Amino acid sequence: MAAELLKRGADLVRSGVHPTSVVSGYRLAAKEAVRFITESLAIPVSSLGPDTLARVAATSISSKVVGSDAAHFAALAVDAMRSVERPGAGGAPPSYPVKGVAVLKALGGSMHDSTLLRGVALNLGRAAQGMPVRVSPARVACLDMNLQKARMAMGVQVLVTDPAELEALRAREADIARDRVAAILASGANVVFTTKGVDDLCLKYLVEGGVIACRRVPRDDIKRVCRATGATLVSTLADADGGETFDAACLGGADGVEEVSVAGDDVVLVKGGAAGGGATLLLRGANDYLLDEMERAMHDALCAVKRVLESGSVVPGGGAVEAGLSVHLESFATSLGSREQLAIAEAADALLAVPKALAVNAARDLQLMCGADWGIAEVGACGPTFHEACGTDVGFVVVAVVGPPVDHGNQPSVGADRVWVRVIETGHNRRGENMWQFAAAAAKLAESCVRETIAADNEQNKLNHDPRWRDALDAALRIVR
């Protein structure tokens, strides 16, 4: 669609339309399209049933690597987004941050073994084996600093003349590290996450305090923990008085923190965050490439579910919205008297790029479609059967019929208002058939059906002299060809 807009905009500029008029027309078209979608095309989710979210997620991932198990992964995406609901402030609707969902990738197993972990999972273990495996309830401290023996800053020089003073200097460095850990523990923290290192001296104090500590936590993960628990990421303990303290208000809360084994690896799981909780998608696959593709597919599904949950509405797919907007924008363009109407009309035509692409292959691989077996059916009461037209067994044919459907028994109806496309399945495909012969036979049969159908309705409705039928026939044949 973007390429069509650029192409048609360049054609307008070459025709003498100023680029400013083109840009203004495109902006007017976008504004009018948003209004029309909101008022006329959007459908409330509440009127569609409880499985709407799963269907939206399945639509998003159906064409991706996990499409073969779309129902399973759609359910995972819906559950994950519902788990990260954040209440809105001041009566605002709740939000569903996609970044609140963590993704863990584990080699081995099949795609169907992928599951959802309730809580924020960190792909690392405890910093020391002497620490408890589980803490409940948890008071979480998130740090962006080293917990290690204090060292002099660069450029600081200390002259020592007595060996006893050297030992006192080393002892003071250890005391500074001990005081920092003591300040954190005094605030009530029993879980400590830091993006940097923790040395053995500080680990000793943390083990004695019965604290679960994790070091070298990735920054994205620790931010996710902060959002889930309500903790504040602390980068320094320095206060305004020149000392070092840790404010208890910076702590986050959770129902529990525990170390569990997932796919043979140790994982620290933060459950029931006080600020809305979190969720982690555990993806299983045979190789890194497959896991990366699964992650991208699930990200698309999560974004789609997020939009539906926050907006509360959906629109039809399959190019229907683009086709409806194209018709509306063409009418809207005629209501303007400025040169922007040229750009709006071109934008309306550009919107048809999606329906046209879908009409060619229905978003499926042509080789797969032609290599499948199809049920036996006939074209209908009017026109020859497909076997008579083609003289061979092939896959299927698309017949274009002009006009809204009207019941005339078994006779397809036509009119001049809109174009309908009917898929006729027939025979069963023989691999290796000449596709050019198949296409020619399909077009011949479709043209015959359209002509006979229009002739039948002409005779019945006495519209032989109505010029709309010629336009309708031309439109149908253009689609067929």
Side-chain angles (χ1 to χ4, degrees), residues 317-330:
V321 172
E322 291 83 355
L325 284 178
S326 177
V327 174
H328 176 72
L329 289 180
E330 283 183 354

Side-chain angles (χ1 to χ4, degrees), residues 302-347:
L302 293 174
C303 291
V305 174
K306 165 191 168 69
R307 297 296 298 173
V308 175
L309 287 171
E310 293 182 350
S311 66
S313 60
V314 295
V315 294
V321 172
E322 291 83 355
L325 284 178
S326 177
V327 174
H328 176 72
L329 289 180
E330 283 183 354
S331 175
F332 176 70
T334 59
S335 65
L336 301 178
S338 59
R339 303 194 72 179
E340 281 77 4
Q341 67 172 326
L342 299 175
I344 296 176
E346 292 296 335

Side-chain angles (χ1 to χ4, degrees), residues 40 58 67 106 131 159 219 283 292 301 315 328 365 409 415 443 451 461 475:
S40 302
M131 294 178 176
L159 299 178
R219 184 169 293 272
L283 302 181
D292 291 342
V315 294
H328 176 72
D365 190 341
R451 288 186 182 277
N461 299 322

Side-chain angles (χ1 to χ4, degrees), residues 106-108 261-267 282 284:
L107 289 172
S261 179
V262 176
D265 294 327
D266 291 333
V267 171
L282 175 64
R284 305 297 304 275

Side-chain angles (χ1 to χ4, degrees), residues 52 69 163 186 347 373 382 391 404 477:
T52 302
D69 201 0
D373 290 339
C382 69
L477 298 183

Side-chain angles (χ1 to χ4, degrees), residues 146-193:
N146 284 304
L147 288 179
Q148 60 186 16
K149 185 184 295 186
R151 296 176 181 175
M152 293 294 178
M154 294 292 293
V156 176
Q157 184 178 13
V158 179
L159 299 178
V160 178
T161 57
D162 188 349
E165 294 178 355
L166 181 60
E167 291 298 326
L169 179 63
R170 291 174 177 172
R172 180 55 187 157
E173 290 178 346
D175 291 342
I176 292 175
R178 182 196 59 199
D179 294 342
R180 289 177 178 175
V181 175
I184 296 173
L185 298 181
S187 66
N190 53 11
V191 178
V192 177
F193 296 132

Side-chain angles (χ1 to χ4, degrees), residues 36-82:
F36 183 69
I37 290 176
T38 304
E39 297 179 0
S40 302
L41 299 181
I43 304 172
V45 177
S46 57
S47 64
L48 298 177
D51 62 336
T52 302
L53 287 174
R55 291 161 60 190
V56 168
T59 301
S60 174
I61 63 181
S62 60
S63 61
K64 300 179 176 64
V65 69
V66 296
S68 60
D69 201 0
H72 174 68
F73 286 97
L76 294 181
V78 173
D79 292 343
M81 289 311 300
R82 289 192 181 278

